[in-house]
Amino acid sequence: MCGIVGYIGEQQAFPILIKGLHRLEYRGYDSAGVSLINSKGELSVYKAKGKVVNLEEGTKDKDTTGTIGIAHTRWATHGEPNATNAHPHFSQSKNLSLVHNGIIENYKSLRAEMEKNGMTFCSETDTEVLVQLVEYMMNTHKCDLYTAVQLALKNVVGAYAIAILEKSHPDQLVCARKGSPLIIGVGKSDNGRAEFYVGSDATPIIEYTNQVIYLQDEEIAIMDRTGRLDITNLANVKQTPQLVTLQMNLDQLEKGGFPHFMLKEIWEQPNALRTCIRGRVNMVDKDVLLSGIIDHKDKFINCRRIIICACGTSWHSALIGKYFIEEAAKIPVEVEYASEFRYRNPVINPDDIVIAVSQSGETADTLAAIQLAKEKGAFLYGICNVIGSSIPRATDSGTYLHVGPEIGVASTKAFTGQVITLGLLGLAIAKVKKTLSDDIFHMLVEELEQIPDKMQWTLEHNKDIAQFAQMFTYCKNFIYLGRGYNYPVALEGALKLKEISYIHAEGYPAAEMKHGPIALIDEEMPVVVIAPKRGMYEKVVSNIQEIKSRKGKIISVVTEGDTVVRGMSDYSFVIPDTRDCFVPLLAVIPLQLLSYYVAIAKGRNVDQPRNLAKSVTVE
Ligand code: F6R
């Protein structure tokens, strides 16, 4: 949800900023902009509607020199996506330029106040209000930029990560955050002098340094080329920066020969899940070790209820987690849309555990949901992918997915990473609560350990989806059906198709069809049915018959060797056999591939679908 990059040092800033914007483009791609101070002390701002390439194109004949700069890729919140509303924004005197990720909720009243005092505005954005406010503070309080930023931010309601340049002080870069992520990279240029990088996440920084500082909420930082890095909070109390070494490498941020990040990430799943379970599954003792549970054993033993808060795809994996935790650990689990939970005054007891599931660890609604749960005294557990992100820092304990950076906007490997992590969690709780017999526990651990190999098999045996998907480009609607553990897979399959191909799709519990949605079925309607030869197989067969007799086209996900559902289907995808609770990890793969190839056949930009952004750091 908007990406910010900044640089101050000895190198030319522009190429670093542009490369950084490309890496952050998954966060938003409505417009992009850059601001630089050149060696003559001139402060420039260049912006373009659309993707970063448009900005590159538009700046070819411009002076883009300078060793300090800030840049931004936007996902519009206030004001339509055009060059005027793109960041960076100038202050009225053009002495300041600023980039911002977040939302300033009281921007209208702040703007009205400043307009009364004769200030004029060029754009419709809340961000321009912020940069004007900083200048207003500098003028009215006759103070320096740093103090003015502190004063301005004290008047602001909302979320922000900002970086600011000041024309009259070209040797310093100021940034701040509250509610939106911001990381400072600490590096050294070739001649040994200090340089600093700023990023919404680590992806624009890792190429230059692995030494970073995660700025905390309400902290303001000032950096210069002498190596000065001062951080204070809004109350002007000096903070001690905590230097962290990033565990990430550049290859993880490249496409590695795949045409799209999404396809790369789909194929990465076997290895990603091997990494996820490494050290957590001990095959000698057939045991599960999750330090997040071991360290808080009593909390889980005494817990009366678990509430899982999440959004989108993470909500779907949470639903699978609910089924498994209830089955294995015998604790009631509720799954909540974080956006609903945070506003409906939910009943939360001190013996409840609230789990936040989030790939990015930055989703504003999920973060707000756990903040609410914390106020009500619940124990908080985070299941996130991005290390050092806001949710893991706000929770009492947790487990990282360790599936590597997910760049494609449509979540794939994070989904399966979440499902298997929730599986580990269910087993780890079952162990401390002794709710499973040793035999069943060991059998589940053994089966879980085989999942990455079975995923690889699934990928290898579904290569023809690329051809097959072509046939569905004309479709206007799809229905996805599943029962039990596969109902959330149906929801996830439908979401994947919607978000990248823009074809309308709905997921339903298969048995719900006859309560209304069956009216939609005719010969034009493809119905994707997840029908493994397990648990409710016979019932799903009956559901398929109901659809077939209304002339619906059946696309099924079947277990290897199944002939019955295969025979009833127009097309089938095959998966290896596994326990019911792990079927989602395999069944989702053909559905990911189906949506990918349908979207490709329709000419969609699968890595950057329209109107979407990877991490939704605003409401
Ligand atoms: C869909 C997708 C989104 C995210 C949702 C939550 O493919 O990626 O639905 O799952 O925005 O994001 P996180 O998991 O980062 O909290």
Side-chain angles (χ1 to χ4, degrees):
M1 199 104 313
C2 298
I4 290 178
V5 203
Y7 174 76
I8 179 168
E10 303 284 312
Q11 304 181 60
Q12 284 299 304
F14 186 73
I16 295 171
L17 298 175
I18 291 292
K19 200 180 243 188
L21 286 185
H22 278 297
R23 293 218 195 282
L24 288 178
E25 211 168 14
Y26 73 90
R27 298 177 69 91
Y29 29 83
D30 293 340
S31 54
V34 60
S35 180
L36 299 150
I37 306 179
N38 67 14
S39 55
K40 291 182 233 150
E42 293 160 338
L43 176 65
S44 58
V45 167
Y46 306 116
K47 318 191 217 190
K49 184 178 171 177
K51 307 228 157 122
V52 178
V53 284
N54 298 358
L55 177 67
E56 285 179 274
E57 198 53 40
T59 47
K60 275 194 174 137
D61 56 348
K62 302 280 191 306
D63 175 7
T64 54
T65 61
T67 53
I68 177 169
I70 53 177
H72 188 268
T73 176
R74 179 168 185 246
W75 187 88
T77 54
H78 292 84
E80 69 171 272
N82 58 28
T84 311
N85 290 332
H87 304 203
H89 285 283
F90 271 133
S91 61
Q92 190 157 318
S93 71
K94 298 208 163 149
N95 183 40
L96 304 179
S97 65
L98 177 146
V99 288
H100 167 223
N101 171 25
I103 291 187
I104 306 302
E105 287 169 18
N106 60 339
Y107 79 107
K108 281 197 177 136
S109 58
L110 291 170
R111 179 172 172 154
E113 190 64 36
M114 287 187 281
E115 278 173 337
K116 255 196 259 157
N117 288 301
M119 296 182 78
T120 55
F121 292 79
C122 310
S123 77
E124 304 154 43
T125 64
D126 52 339
T127 302
E128 190 186 4
V129 171
L130 193 51
V131 68
Q132 294 276 55
L133 185 63
V134 175
E135 181 157 290
Y136 182 72
M137 291 298 176
M138 286 175 92
N139 293 339
T140 49
H141 293 267
K142 306 272 173 276
C143 61
D144 61 13
L145 174 64
Y146 195 76
T147 313
V149 171
Q150 267 177 346
L151 292 170
L153 294 180
K154 279 187 196 166
N155 286 280
V156 155
V157 178
Y160 52 80
I162 56 171
I164 315 178
L165 296 184
E166 184 184 9
K167 182 178 167 184
S168 47
H169 284 93
D171 289 322
Q172 66 181 31
L173 180 58
V174 173
C175 62
R177 77 155 266 180
K178 182 184 173 191
S180 296
L182 206 66
I183 301 177
I184 297 172
V186 182
K188 270 204 168 58
S189 61
D190 291 344
N191 63 10
R193 291 196 68 194
E195 58 181 9
F196 293 101
Y197 299 82
V198 172
S200 293
D201 64 29
T203 59
I205 298 176
I206 188 68
E207 188 164 347
Y208 312 100
T209 176
N210 63 1
Q211 298 299 298
V212 299
I213 292 154
Y214 290 92
L215 214 59
Q216 308 291 321
D217 272 350
E218 301 201 337
E219 285 185 351
I220 309 169
I222 183 163
M223 294 148 265
D224 69 22
R225 293 187 185 82
T226 67
R228 171 188 177 206
L229 169 62
D230 287 337
I231 301 179
T232 61
N233 61 16
L234 287 189
N236 205 25
V237 178
K238 206 169 160 54
Q239 309 292 304
T240 312
Q242 305 289 331
L243 211 58
V244 174
T245 303
L246 284 175
Q247 309 292 333
M248 187 191 275
N249 67 54
L250 210 51
D251 291 348
Q252 294 175 311
L253 307 177
E254 308 286 348
K255 289 191 195 137
F258 285 90
H260 296 97
F261 282 109
M262 183 180 174
L263 191 61
K264 176 189 173 221
E265 288 158 6
I266 290 173
W267 276 85
E268 264 175 3
Q269 290 177 105
N271 271 339
L273 264 60
R274 277 184 196 107
T275 315
C276 174
I277 64 175
R278 186 169 301 137
R280 293 167 173 173
V281 169
N282 172 346
M283 283 313 286
V284 178
D285 304 328
K286 299 199 178 66
D287 200 2
V288 166
L289 302 158
L290 271 197
S291 55
I293 304 291
I294 296 165
D295 297 348
H296 301 278
K297 202 170 145 193
D298 292 342
K299 284 272 172 211
F300 284 88
I301 291 173
N302 299 321
C303 148
R304 300 266 297 268
R305 177 177 66 153
I306 290 175
I307 303 169
I308 313 183
C309 294
C311 303
T313 284
S314 300
W315 189 87
H316 299 155
S317 65
L319 217 50
I320 299 169
K322 165 190 163 75
Y323 292 4
F324 186 66
I325 296 168
E326 289 193 344
E327 188 178 330
K330 312 283 180 257
I331 301 175
V333 182
E334 288 167 22
V335 177
E336 296 266 1
Y337 284 116
S339 54
E340 291 294 318
F341 182 81
R342 65 181 288 195
Y343 287 120
R344 64 168 185 78
N345 199 12
V347 176
I348 304 171
N349 305 308
D351 49 10
D352 286 339
I353 292 179
V354 174
I355 302 180
V357 179
S358 171
Q359 187 287 129
S360 61
E362 299 292 352
T363 299
D365 285 324
T366 312
L367 195 53
I370 58 167
Q371 274 153 359
L372 174 76
K374 188 174 214 147
E375 281 161 26
K376 297 194 177 225
F379 179 79
L380 305 182
Y381 199 90
I383 295 184
C384 299
N385 191 35
V386 178
I387 294 168
S389 54
S390 299
I391 292 172
R393 286 190 282 119
T395 41
D396 299 303
S397 182
T399 305
Y400 279 117
L401 306 183
H402 290 309
V403 295
E406 189 178 66
I407 312 285
V409 165
S411 187
T412 52
K413 64 175 178 173
F415 172 76
T416 45
Q418 290 164 347
V419 173
I420 207 158
T421 302
L422 285 158
L424 290 169
L425 188 87
L427 287 170
I429 306 173
K431 186 175 132 181
V432 295
K433 287 195 71 190
K434 303 187 178 32
T435 45
L436 289 176
S437 69
D438 284 355
D439 285 354
I440 292 184
F441 186 87
H442 293 156
M443 176 273 294
L444 287 170
V445 173
E446 256 175 48
E447 190 57 37
L448 183 143
E449 198 265 343
Q450 285 176 31
I451 290 297
D453 289 349
K454 292 189 176 182
M455 285 180 133
Q456 190 67 40
W457 188 100
T458 308
L459 286 161
E460 303 291 346
H461 285 76
N462 285 288
K463 283 184 175 155
D464 57 350
I465 294 183
Q467 309 295 327
F468 158 82
Q470 308 269 356
M471 283 180 278
F472 292 97
T473 51
Y474 69 89
C475 291
K476 299 232 172 330
N477 299 288
F478 265 72
I479 287 181
Y480 287 70
L481 301 179
R483 298 186 76 135
Y485 280 102
N486 295 313
Y487 158 52
V489 181
L491 296 177
E492 176 60 7
L495 177 62
K496 286 291 88 90
L497 189 74
K498 276 188 272 214
E499 64 184 333
I500 59 169
S501 72
Y502 318 148
I503 294 175
H504 173 248
E506 294 300 333
Y508 290 102
E512 273 297 301
M513 281 300 284
K514 51 186 168 299
H515 299 290
I518 201 158
L520 294 167
I521 304 294
D522 60 17
E523 60 278 8
E524 305 271 286
M525 178 68 87
V527 182
V528 181
V529 190
I530 303 134
K533 204 149 188 197
R534 282 272 164 188
M536 282 181 277
Y537 179 72
E538 302 299 342
K539 294 196 184 300
V540 176
V541 169
S542 306
N543 298 140
I544 295 175
Q545 259 148 2
E546 289 156 12
I547 296 157
K548 270 195 84 70
S549 52
R550 272 110 190 146
K551 299 195 167 53
K553 276 202 172 48
I554 302 289
I555 304 167
S556 57
V557 179
V558 299
T559 306
E560 188 198 4
D562 175 273
T563 48
V564 176
V565 172
R566 211 168 233 254
M568 296 167 76
S569 308
D570 296 272
Y571 310 95
S572 290
F573 309 130
V574 65
I575 57 171
D577 186 36
T578 184
R579 308 293 306 182
D580 277 306
C581 55
F582 300 131
V583 170
L585 291 159
L586 307 178
V588 76
I589 289 179
L591 306 190
Q592 294 169 342
L593 289 168
L594 177 67
S595 57
Y596 173 81
Y597 285 114
V598 170
I600 292 295
K602 286 180 81 74
R604 307 296 192 216
N605 182 343
V606 294
D607 279 342
Q608 294 171 351
R610 72 182 178 203
N611 304 340
L612 294 178
K614 182 76 186 158
S615 64
V616 185
T617 54
V618 294
E619 276 192 64

